[in-house]
Amino acid sequence: MKIGELAAVTGVSVRLLRYYEEQDLLTPVRTPGGHRSYGPEAPLTVRRIRALLDAGLPTRVIREVLPCVEGDGMFVHPCVSDRLRDQLRGMEERIAELESSRAGLAAILEVTEAAAVG
Amino acid sequence: MKIGELAAVTGVSVRLLRYYEEQDLLTPVRTPGGHRSYGPEAPLTVRRIRALLDAGLPTRVIREVLPCVEGDGMFVHPCVSDRLRDQLRGMEERIAELESSRAGLAAILEVTEAAAVG
DNA sequence: TTAGAAGCTGACACATGTGTGAGCTTCAAG
DNA sequence: CTTGAAGCTCACACATGTGTCAGCTTCTAA
């Protein structure tokens, strides 16, 4: 299938399909004219990519785990669980930082509003 | 005081002091030779900027709230509390998104590890 | 055969705080 | 006066997924 069709069936923009290829997540063959030609598994692959992106993984990590994914991005082989655990740890750290910032800002607001009342 | 001194007493790099000025957070006067000259209040201002940055506020917002800050970034006039509340809401949304991503990733990991055991 | 749709590549843009470097000028101490 | 430190400006780089535009080529349907 052509890139426009794949975009239509997956809801992912043509631009992004090209980007995913640039990131080695998709590897369409080329027609003699140079147009991308995707196999029938491509829509599933794109759905997996989206599922992993939506799970917060960067393309660099998806590139590693993609060969180990089965189903709609909900199962991966144990071979990449270390990678996923790293990623999870990183996300938890980011959440903790954000939460800490949030608390700091909330504290400022509380002081401000207490002063407004008092 | 000169920029190098200010950097030394605040621990903030010269590059960042120039950046804060570019963002209208600091407004040193200039010597006839074009060198920045900071008043004695500058270290406090820089500490406030850092406190607000560390609370997760972008410079664009800090620019607005800075004139209303008192103390070491721990109190602001009520005039900017709407702005802060917006910011707080935005941060809470970001945290929620991240948390949701984290849960998605954790779910994948759980399935993977359950499969590794079973 | 021809026009228009769809494809191609390459590039720039965004946000955002921060590092780094080049190339030049000013300042301060000897 | 001279020299080296410190300052100046301007610019590019990073990450990251995504939009958009220009300029050209291929494909497809009439």
Side-chain angles (χ1 to χ4, degrees), chain A residues 4-47:
Chain A
E5 301 173 62
L6 184 56
V9 304
T10 60
V12 172
S13 76
V14 166
R15 171 67 174 88
L16 284 184
L17 293 178
R18 296 202 188 106
Y19 175 67
Y20 297 159
E21 178 180 359
E22 191 184 306
Q23 299 298 309
D24 287 324
L25 307 183
L26 284 174
T27 49
V29 297
R30 296 300 180 116
T31 68
H35 286 200
R36 291 169 176 83
S37 179
Y38 296 89
E41 79 295 344
L44 175 58
T45 304
V46 171
R47 260 180 280 129

Side-chain angles (χ1 to χ4, degrees), chain A residues 69-89:
Chain A
V69 175
E70 293 170 10
D72 266 15
M74 293 312 289
F75 175 72
V76 296
H77 278 296
C79 62
V80 288
S81 58
D82 281 356
R83 203 78 189 77
L84 291 188
R85 248 190 301 274
D86 283 353
Q87 197 64 28
L88 191 60
R89 197 160 27 238

Side-chain angles (χ1 to χ4, degrees), chain B:
Chain B
M1 71 194 319
K2 291 183 292 181
I3 197 170
E5 301 173 62
L6 183 56
V9 303
T10 61
V12 172
S13 74
V14 166
R15 171 66 175 89
L16 284 185
L17 294 178
R18 296 202 189 105
Y19 175 68
Y20 297 158
E21 177 181 0
E22 189 185 307
Q23 298 298 308
D24 287 324
L25 308 183
L26 285 175
T27 49
V29 297
R30 297 297 180 117
T31 68
H35 285 200
R36 291 170 177 82
S37 179
Y38 296 88
E41 79 296 345
L44 176 57
T45 304
V46 171
R47 261 180 280 128
R48 286 171 176 161
I49 293 171
R50 288 307 321 179
L52 294 171
L53 278 175
D54 290 345
L57 272 62
T59 53
R60 166 180 43 85
V61 173
I62 296 177
R63 176 165 49 240
E64 290 178 51
V65 312
L66 202 51
C68 300
V69 175
E70 293 171 8
D72 265 15
M74 292 312 289
F75 175 72
V76 295
H77 277 297
C79 62
V80 290
S81 56
D82 282 354
R83 204 77 190 78
L84 290 187
R85 249 190 300 275
D86 284 352
Q87 197 63 28
L88 191 60
R89 199 162 24 239
M91 292 180 64
E92 283 165 352
E93 281 166 21
R94 264 178 292 148
I95 290 174
E97 282 166 21
L98 252 187
E99 179 56 43
S100 154
S101 293
R102 192 208 63 83
L105 184 52
I108 293 175
L109 251 178
E110 274 172 31
V111 173
T112 300
E113 299 193 334
V117 170

